[in-house]
């Protein structure tokens, strides 16, 4: 009996003697051969164990790389959403094969929708624009789908609470490998405040020009910047 690497090996010999015509190897050769075979098996086992450990290590490293990449992707998406929220600019995509429309969170907010809800269908979206703007948007998107040329529009909206709004919309085509338009994509920005400011300026200009009272506009130093027609008529001075 031999103890080799924690295993017990037993050698048995035939006491009767060899069979006729068969030559038996000496005992030490059998012993050496057995030890050599055991060493080979042990080396093979250790190699398999090392390979398994290496495979597990590679799998763990790949898993960690995937987690880091997913974390970076989530952070990039968060930064994009935050930048769009601050700039009041959203982006969208329309897959022409599946007719699937996707929005970023800021587009939802422009329409007054919950970003966690599904994108409304086109019939419902039609109600969020005045008739002229919806017709102009559909015509522009259809032309881009057919020609691949981009479009740019200012659209008047109607929010769910009935309040008016304005959107600056730009869209372009995305082509497949064969040069066919497979997708439309673009950006939309909320220009409601700009439009409201323009309306106030136009109103002020209208009041300035049509008032019966003479109006004179000066800078902080008292330099005359402009006068209205009534001022000219009342004083007899010209604008020059």
């Amino acid at each position: 009996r031999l103890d080799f690497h924690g295993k017990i090996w037993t050698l048995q010999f035939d006491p009767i003697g060899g069979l006729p015509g068969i030559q038996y190897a000496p005992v030490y050769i059998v012993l050496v051969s057995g030890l050599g075979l055991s060493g080979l098996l042990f080396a093979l086992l250790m190699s398999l164990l090392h390979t398994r450990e290496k495979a597990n290590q590679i799998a763990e490293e790949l898993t960690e790389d995937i987690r880091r990449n997913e974390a970076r992707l989530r952070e990039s998406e968060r930064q994009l959403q935050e930048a769009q929220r601050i700039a009041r600019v959203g982006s969208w995509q329309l897959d022409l094969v599946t007719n699937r429309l996707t929005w970023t969170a800021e587009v939802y907010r422009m329409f007054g929708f919950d970003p966690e809800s599904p994108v409304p269908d086109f019939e419902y979206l039609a109600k969020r624009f005045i008739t002229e703007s919806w017709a102009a948007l559909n015509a522009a998107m259809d032309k881009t789908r057919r020609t691949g040329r981009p479009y740019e529009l200012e659209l008047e909206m109607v929010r769910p609470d009935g309040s008016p709004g304005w959107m600056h919309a730009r869209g372009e085509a995305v082509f497949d490998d064969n040069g066919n338009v497979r997708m439309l994509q673009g950006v939309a920005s909320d220009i409601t405040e700009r439009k409201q400011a323009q309306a106030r300026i136009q109103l002020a200009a209208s009041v300035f020009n049509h008032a019966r009272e003479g109006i004179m506009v000066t800078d902080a130093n008292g330099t005359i910047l402009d006068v209205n027609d009534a001022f000219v008529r009342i004083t007899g001075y010209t604008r020059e």
Side-chain angles (χ1 to χ4, degrees), residues 178-207:
N178 297 320
N180 300 315
V181 178
R182 67 175 181 84
M183 180 184 295
L184 299 181
Q185 65 180 15
V187 295
S189 55
D190 188 341
I191 58 171
T192 302
E193 291 185 359
R194 191 189 81 188
K195 282 291 187 178
Q196 291 173 343
Q198 289 176 348
R200 288 193 294 268
I201 292 173
Q202 290 173 355
L203 177 61
S206 178
V207 172

Side-chain angles (χ1 to χ4, degrees), residues 4-237:
F4 184 73
H5 283 287
K7 293 185 178 182
I8 303 299
W9 297 81
T10 302
L11 300 179
Q12 294 183 351
F13 302 95
D14 186 0
I16 300 176
L19 296 175
I22 298 179
Q23 296 183 351
Y24 288 88
V27 173
Y28 71 88
I29 295 180
V30 175
L31 178 61
V32 171
S33 299
L35 293 176
L37 179 59
S38 298
L40 180 61
L41 292 174
F42 178 77
L44 179 61
L45 177 61
M46 294 302 295
S47 176
L48 291 174
L49 292 175
H50 177 74
T51 301
R52 182 177 180 180
E53 291 175 356
K54 187 64 176 179
N56 290 337
Q57 180 182 355
I58 293 174
E60 291 175 359
E61 292 175 353
L62 290 175
T63 302
E64 186 61 28
D65 287 342
I66 292 173
R67 289 173 181 167
R68 284 195 294 267
N69 289 335
E70 289 177 344
R72 284 194 290 265
L73 179 60
R74 286 193 297 269
E75 178 61 18
S76 297
E77 291 177 347
R78 187 196 66 78
Q79 292 178 359
L80 174 61
Q81 297 284 0
E82 188 66 10
Q84 290 189 349
R85 183 190 65 80
I86 295 172
R88 294 187 178 180
V89 175
S91 56
W92 57 269
Q93 286 186 333
L94 174 60
D95 190 322
L96 299 179
V97 178
T98 62
N99 207 38
R100 181 171 180 265
L101 178 64
T102 56
W103 291 346
T104 58
E106 190 58 27
V107 178
Y108 280 93
R109 283 190 281 267
M110 287 182 204
F111 284 103
F113 297 141
D114 181 1
E116 299 299 325
S117 64
V119 176
D121 57 33
F122 287 96
E123 182 179 354
Y124 187 81
L125 283 178
K127 301 176 182 178
R128 302 275 68 84
F129 293 94
I130 66 171
T131 304
E132 295 79 5
S133 290
W134 180 249
L137 178 59
N138 275 276
M141 293 180 68
D142 183 64
K143 184 177 180 180
T144 299
R145 183 186 292 110
R146 290 183 289 102
T147 66
R149 296 177 182 175
Y151 68 85
E152 186 168 357
L153 297 170
E154 288 188 353
L155 306 169
E156 188 171 356
M157 304 163 50
V158 180
R159 294 193 173 95
D161 62 0
S163 62
W166 283 87
M167 173 188 293
H168 181 257
R170 288 182 292 174
E172 64 181 15
V174 178
F175 301 90
D176 60 20
D177 295 337
N178 297 320
N180 300 315
V181 178
R182 67 175 181 84
M183 180 184 295
L184 299 181
Q185 65 180 15
V187 295
S189 55
D190 188 341
I191 58 171
T192 302
E193 291 185 359
R194 191 189 81 188
K195 282 291 187 178
Q196 291 173 343
Q198 289 176 348
R200 288 193 294 268
I201 292 173
Q202 290 173 355
L203 177 61
S206 178
V207 172
F208 179 80
N209 291 324
H210 296 91
R212 294 181 178 181
E213 297 80 9
I215 301 175
M216 178 176 61
V217 180
T218 67
D219 62 14
N221 298 320
T223 302
I224 297 175
L225 300 177
D226 199 4
V227 296
N228 66 348
D229 292 339
F231 183 91
V232 173
R233 185 173 60 254
I234 293 171
T235 63
Y237 290 105

